[in-house]
Amino acid sequence: MSDFGLILENHYAGLPDDFYTKMPAEKVGERPRLIHANPKAAALLDLDPAVFGDPRFVDVVSGHAPLENFEALAMVYSGHQFGVWAGQLGDGRALMIGQARNRDGELWDIQLKGAGKTPYSRFGDGRAVMRSTIREYLCSEAMAGLRIPTSRALAIVATGETVMREAPEPGAVLTRLARSHVRFGHFEHFFHRGEKDKVRVLADHVIAEYFPNMIGDHAAWYGEVVRRTAVMVAQWQAVGFAHGVMNTDNMSILGLTLDYGPYGFLDAYDPQFICNHTDTQGRYSFINQPVIAHWNLRALALALSDLIPTETLIEKLATFEGHFGGTYHGLMRAKLGLTREVEGDNKLIGGLLGLMNKTRADYTLSFRNLTGEDAGWLKLFGEANVDAESWLSRYRVRTESEDLSGLDRINPKYVLRNWVAETAIRAVEDHNDIATLDRIFRLMQAPFETHDGDEAFAAPPPPNMCDLEVSCSS
Ligand code: AMP
Ligand code: MG
């Protein structure tokens, strides 16, 4: 038993010591201040939200005090960044401060982000800024609310420090949770150093804890990673989420959405959408995500090539298309309420996407508003758009005998639009207005519900917030 009743296990430290560096956090800032904490994430650790008021809790989630009975550690990994081998990376500003076993037997990593430098910081300062911390905090919970596999966020602390980016910014520490933070890049690290035995040790470690029904079967496990990754990306595509930096070091071995940086949700539908201002080539554009996921899985396959025969890896990798396509089409059908398969359905789905593309209609509202008045839906496509009218009448005929009453539980009203995230950031940074952050946070945790008084946050960006740029700088 540790602080706050947590049941901690030094699980990752069971690996040989060249998998990590054990070290305490740096104690960033003089007087850390809790900005927000998340009861739903606390529940994953069986943590009573009453602890949020305990000064010891703030000490722990700011890195100013360790959790009892756990030696904090930074993990080493490598990766391909923008398609190029980048060599060693690692937890440059992340630190695992605990691994807690909950009552359901699930092991959860507790990780601080921004609590100081580690041996893997390279040229970085080990810090995180409030802006990117709020973005990750809100988006983790938005994705969880949308039922998309993701890391979670437990708390935000303001460090009181100023951090230098393009301009000076307030510093923060995020506490995030994930069943595991192991990335494709962990496996690539040992493979590309020629330490093949360590690839095996890590694979067996991951399988034993997170894939217990696949112990001894590396091929089945790799196949499962392919499947989970394909399903996750299909969910991204269906909801209109662009990750922005799908480097292999940001790809979770559990198929979780991980490392929220310059991500974006589609406002106007644009398949070529590039959310990351730094991605000048558009490698990580919205439409490219499935291809990139496949590319990353191939990089992982290479790293596993001493464990699994090449033909088997090729065979498993080839299942990606089926898993992705099947899931994506299922989700798009569900978004329109098409339960029975009827000829012409694909044309109907394609027709709507084409229409949205042409008119730059809002992606989220084009689905959500199907349960509203026809006139309101048609407005999304401009004044008197005959193509939209014709699509809608075809859709109404097609769905006459479908039950559309559950559609609002499939098509979210709220996604974390950039302008909404920016509103939360400005509220906290400029006015210490935590209430606005909290309002937006609650919308994101329940994105299918209507929230009276907060309708505005479901809308496309107002004109003065249309061209917000996000970059890798965080
Ligand atoms: P990212 O693009 O955020 O996934 O980060 C890529 C690598 O850079 C990871 O190894 C991070 O730990 C590291 N990194 C990013 N920002 C910082 C920072 N401010 N200080 C130290 N390391 C960083
Ligand atoms: Mg990363």
Side-chain angles (χ1 to χ4, degrees):
M1 200 71 108
S2 177
D3 304 76
F4 318 119
L6 291 172
I7 311 218
L8 297 181
E9 281 177 32
N10 286 276
H11 183 261
Y12 202 76
L15 287 164
D17 56 14
D18 46 0
F19 281 76
Y20 49 79
T21 301
K22 287 183 178 170
M23 56 174 295
E26 205 181 294
K27 297 193 183 174
V28 172
E30 298 278 299
R31 251 182 298 136
R33 187 164 61 90
L34 187 67
I35 297 292
H36 205 271
N38 177 4
K40 285 196 177 158
L44 300 170
L45 308 176
D46 302 322
L47 199 61
D48 181 348
V51 303
F52 299 162
D54 182 341
R56 284 265 313 143
F57 178 77
V58 186
D59 283 346
V60 167
V61 295
S62 61
H64 281 238
L67 281 170
E68 248 177 273
N69 304 326
F70 195 93
E71 281 188 275
L73 60 88
M75 299 188 287
V76 68
Y77 52 82
S78 294
H80 282 87
Q81 299 188 317
F82 290 88
V84 178
W85 178 243
Q88 182 182 305
L89 303 164
D91 289 337
R93 54 169 167 172
L95 194 70
M96 184 194 283
I97 59 158
Q99 290 187 288
R101 183 80 64 185
N102 70 13
R103 279 195 288 266
D104 294 335
E106 294 170 346
L107 188 68
W108 283 86
D109 289 2
I110 309 173
Q111 204 181 64
L112 302 184
K113 192 165 170 183
K117 283 192 199 180
T118 76
Y120 314 115
S121 298
R122 299 177 296 152
F123 310 108
D125 57 7
R127 304 300 197 257
V129 297
M130 183 59 81
R131 166 177 55 87
S132 61
T133 301
I134 290 176
R135 283 176 53 85
E136 175 154 0
Y137 188 82
L138 289 176
C139 201
S140 309
E141 295 310 299
M143 295 298 262
L146 294 164
R147 303 184 288 261
I148 298 174
T150 176
S151 62
R152 301 294 297 269
L154 178 65
I156 302 179
V157 162
T159 61
E161 250 194 10
T162 298
V163 176
M164 262 325 283
R165 293 294 181 258
E166 281 89 356
E169 296 192 42
V173 175
L174 173 77
T175 305
R176 68 177 171 187
L177 310 178
R179 292 294 314 281
S180 168
H181 288 86
V182 170
R183 303 142 191 276
F184 291 8
H186 279 79
F187 296 90
E188 291 180 284
H189 178 73
F190 293 106
F191 176 80
H192 289 281
R193 286 165 60 107
E195 299 182 275
K196 314 289 165 73
D197 50 325
K198 290 190 180 129
V199 177
R200 180 183 299 274
V201 166
L202 182 61
D204 289 340
H205 175 90
V206 164
I207 293 169
E209 180 60 37
Y210 307 103
F211 303 83
N213 57 340
M214 292 174 178
I215 290 173
D217 193 346
H218 295 126
W221 165 65
Y222 175 70
E224 175 63 8
V225 177
V226 171
R227 188 192 68 79
R228 289 193 194 188
T229 305
V231 168
M232 172 188 74
V233 175
Q235 289 182 282
W236 291 358
Q237 301 308 113
V239 82
F241 173 80
H243 180 282
V245 202
M246 289 178 70
N247 294 334
T248 57
D249 53 296
N250 291 337
M251 297 295 292
S252 149
I253 200 69
L254 302 187
L256 307 171
T257 315
L258 192 65
D259 277 17
Y260 293 92
Y263 65 81
F265 283 88
L266 296 176
D267 291 308
Y269 180 65
D270 172 10
Q272 310 300 332
F273 174 58
I274 303 166
C275 57
N276 181 358
H277 178 57
T278 328
D279 181 11
T280 45
Q281 305 292 310
R283 178 180 173 86
Y284 298 141
S285 70
F286 177 71
I287 193 85
N288 273 4
Q289 295 189 121
V291 169
I292 294 294
H294 184 275
W295 193 97
N296 290 342
L297 284 162
R298 200 182 51 172
L300 177 63
L302 177 63
L304 301 177
S305 56
D306 287 291
L307 299 187
I308 304 166
T310 307
E311 316 78 72
T312 311
L313 286 166
I314 292 171
E315 202 180 286
K316 298 287 180 191
L317 183 56
T319 65
F320 179 87
E321 213 177 311
H323 288 307
F324 172 78
T327 308
Y328 179 70
H329 285 113
L331 290 169
M332 296 309 281
R333 292 181 56 83
K335 286 176 83 61
L336 292 180
L338 311 178
T339 49
R340 298 173 295 106
E341 290 260 359
V342 171
E343 218 193 298
D345 279 356
N346 286 348
K347 228 176 133 196
L348 193 70
I349 297 169
L352 177 58
L353 292 173
L355 196 58
M356 288 193 294
N357 193 9
K358 206 158 148 196
T359 57
R360 295 185 61 83
D362 186 82
Y363 185 77
T364 303
L365 296 181
S366 293
F367 291 98
R368 177 73 182 196
N369 291 4
L370 282 171
T371 54
E373 309 249 309
D374 282 3
W377 186 85
L378 284 167
K379 261 213 183 110
L380 296 168
F381 303 86
E383 291 305 319
N385 185 325
V386 286
D387 294 335
E389 281 165 20
S390 129
W391 186 87
L392 187 62
S393 57
R394 270 183 290 138
Y395 176 68
R396 293 290 181 227
V397 170
R398 166 63 184 83
T399 52
E400 246 162 21
S401 58
E402 296 276 9
D403 174 14
L404 300 184
S405 64
L407 229 47
D408 282 356
R409 290 191 296 279
I410 293 170
N411 295 319
K413 182 173 175 79
Y414 299 96
V415 293
L416 186 60
R417 297 171 188 273
N418 238 345
W419 80 268
V420 175
E422 191 62 24
T423 302
I425 293 164
R426 289 186 194 171
V428 172
E429 286 191 352
D430 301 347
H431 308 289
N432 191 30
D433 166 10
I434 311 299
T436 297
L437 170 68
D438 187 62
R439 265 169 69 195
I440 292 171
F441 171 80
R442 286 166 195 275
L443 299 181
M444 294 307 141
Q445 283 197 331
F448 300 100
E449 289 167 27
T450 47
H451 297 258
D452 290 341
D454 280 328
E455 299 287 306
F457 291 126
N464 61 330
M465 290 178 99
C466 265
D467 296 314
L468 301 168
E469 279 181 348
V470 286
S471 70
C472 276
S473 145
S474 61

